[in-house]
Amino acid sequence: MIAEKTLVAITGAMASAHAMRQINPDVVAAYPITPQTPIMMNFAQFVADGLADTEVVTVESEHSAMSACVGAAAAGARVMTATAANGLALMHEIVYIAASTRLPMVMSIVNRALSGPINIHCDHSDTMAERDSGWIQIFCENAQEVYESTILAMKWAENEKVLLPVMVNQDGFIISHSVENVEILPDDVVKEFVGEHVPHEPLLDVEHPITYGPLDLYDYYFEHKRQQMEAMKEAEKEFPKIAAKLSAITGNEYDFIESYKLDDAEYVIVTLGSSAGTVKYVVDEMRETGKKVGLLKIRVFRPFPGKRIAEALNGKKAVAVLDRSASFGAEAPIYAEVKSALYTIKERPILQSYVYGLGGRDFTPDHAKTAFDRLMKGEFFEGEGYLGLRD
Amino acid sequence: MAKLKTWKEIPIGGLTEAGSSARFLTGSWRVERPIFDKEKCINCMLCWVVCPDMSIVVKDGKVTGMDLDYCKGCGACASICPVKAITMEPETKFQK
């Protein structure tokens, strides 16, 4: 049954904070960094006002924040945190440890360019640097998706077959600081959806002592990595079930990918994050003049939905893949993975890579239109193209 | 050596049972061995405090020797001892 929702005008950061308040985790350890700060500021206010009874641990760095989250999760707590850019980079070492120790937690990432040169605005270089860390990665198009993805992420992380940490990505400033209409579920509905946290082998279960983080050499490390690969496969299997349960409450869909006017489209843009909203606007505009254009939005980047993407793009004429980060000396990350996914299909479309929006450079409808126009005119070139760059 | 298990047979996350390091005899790493002189010892317990491997064996409040199964030969005990009751000798001296 669709729950009765309350419509509020809030930022993406506040949408994260509301989801955290309703999930009411046992422990949140975090360190402020732009543009993540408003998430923790708002959440800490909720705790101070008695609206959540979370233990908020204000640590001295992001390395310590993730370390405290790992410790709390191993103890058996339901754990959440938030960071951005260089904060995520400072966590990097412990980010891997959280995933490999199979500690479920949810981390809001407010995507921001990694230094240097120093820049506080949106791109995906921060989260793309963690794509092999073993975390599940969800990307949000708007504040509504941020809110619902955060709730979904908690349930996904703690699934007994999964037990992996999840990053919920929102574009810095574009989503985190922009006010939108967001439909909020009743507190009790979220509480029931996430349910009671049943920790796997908690350290605080003193009747059943266990060792966390022992030395793991050439005799077993490989086996543990194989288990992590399996966990991602399980995550892929479990996601549709969890998504269906949330859909039943919200009435919204949460597939790995979202197809927008894609079925009969001949020319397609593949992207993720807030730029998907801009591309939808352009698709609508171009459809009015009879252009067969469409969008494939990637919502879940890890586990990578390669088969679904390949099926959706099979038989298309030409596809532009948009990356808000670069891989220096190699193909941009989303492009490289989409290209790889298409290897197994019969009717492969022509592919073009575009890098856009680095360091918060605006991505405008004109940029999306340029990409579509070039696809339709057959203007392709080696390597990546750039949208919004002064040539 | 026990047969190694497959990835399907071991606990996830690298978890193991508590206290498993008791089976890991780190004494084989030692290049210097602590030699304990019971006559000089005043049982101040400083060696017991500083030993990182819990290898100082104490019985009824008195040091009785070192547990060579775990002592890595770091020499902290010999260094801290105020009466020089512990001296470090090359491990090669004790090899047959």
Side-chain angles (χ1 to χ4, degrees), chain A residues 81-116:
Chain A
T81 185
T83 193
N86 297 46
L88 181 57
L90 186 55
M91 282 182 180
H92 181 72
E93 177 190 9
I94 317 298
V95 164
Y96 274 67
I97 292 171
S100 59
T101 313
R102 305 293 297 281
L103 298 169
M105 63 183 75
V106 174
M107 173 157 61
S108 294
I109 307 290
V110 185
N111 299 123
R112 162 187 153 182
L114 274 179
S115 298

Side-chain angles (χ1 to χ4, degrees), chain A residues 180-358:
Chain A
E180 298 176 44
N181 287 336
V182 178
E183 291 181 324
I184 301 285
L185 293 163
D187 291 357
D188 58 332
V189 169
V190 176
K191 190 177 175 183
E192 200 190 318
F193 176 76
V194 294
E196 183 100 3
H197 175 48
V198 183
H200 174 77
E201 305 278 12
L203 276 174
L204 285 181
D205 182 2
V206 292
E207 299 296 317
H208 303 94
I210 192 152
T211 300
Y212 266 80
L215 190 64
D216 192 27
L217 299 179
Y218 40 73
D219 52 352
Y220 277 111
Y221 181 90
F222 199 172
E223 275 68 26
H224 287 123
K225 291 293 133 182
R226 177 64 185 83
Q227 289 179 331
Q228 266 183 268
M229 295 171 202
E230 192 66 13
M232 272 291 179
K233 289 174 191 173
E234 288 295 332
E236 192 167 354
K237 282 186 216 157
E238 292 301 307
F239 179 74
K241 300 177 205 168
I242 300 161
K245 280 182 192 160
L246 187 59
S247 289
I249 299 166
T250 63
N252 296 329
E253 297 292 324
Y254 312 97
D255 204 349
F256 291 89
I257 57 172
E258 182 189 333
S259 300
Y260 188 75
K261 303 193 178 174
L262 194 64
D263 287 350
D264 67 334
E266 294 173 345
Y267 304 96
V268 181
I269 283 180
V270 176
T271 192
L272 46 70
S274 64
S275 60
T278 311
V279 176
K280 282 177 184 172
Y281 171 80
V282 172
V283 166
D284 288 346
E285 217 174 50
M286 293 178 77
R287 282 268 171 181
E288 278 175 26
T289 58
K291 306 285 193 303
K292 290 198 165 177
V293 293
L295 162 75
L296 192 160
K297 178 177 91 180
I298 298 173
R299 181 182 278 117
V300 177
F301 188 69
R302 284 290 181 275
F304 189 72
K307 276 186 187 163
R308 288 172 177 84
I309 291 170
E311 278 166 27
L313 296 181
N314 192 19
K316 302 300 178 196
K317 282 188 177 164
V319 176
V321 183
L322 274 45
D323 275 271
R324 203 162 198 147
S325 64
S327 185
F328 305 98
E331 290 167 338
I334 307 168
Y335 176 74
E337 303 217 8
V338 169
K339 186 177 168 186
S340 170
L342 297 184
Y343 186 77
T344 53
I345 62 169
K346 284 194 179 126
E347 294 179 70
R348 287 198 288 269
I350 300 169
L351 277 186
Q352 179 65 59
S353 169
Y354 280 105
V355 172
Y356 73 101
L358 300 190

Side-chain angles (χ1 to χ4, degrees), chain A residues 57-70:
Chain A
V57 188
T58 50
V59 287
E60 73 279 23
S61 77
E62 285 87 356
H63 189 279
S64 301
M66 186 43 62
S67 298
C69 287
V70 162

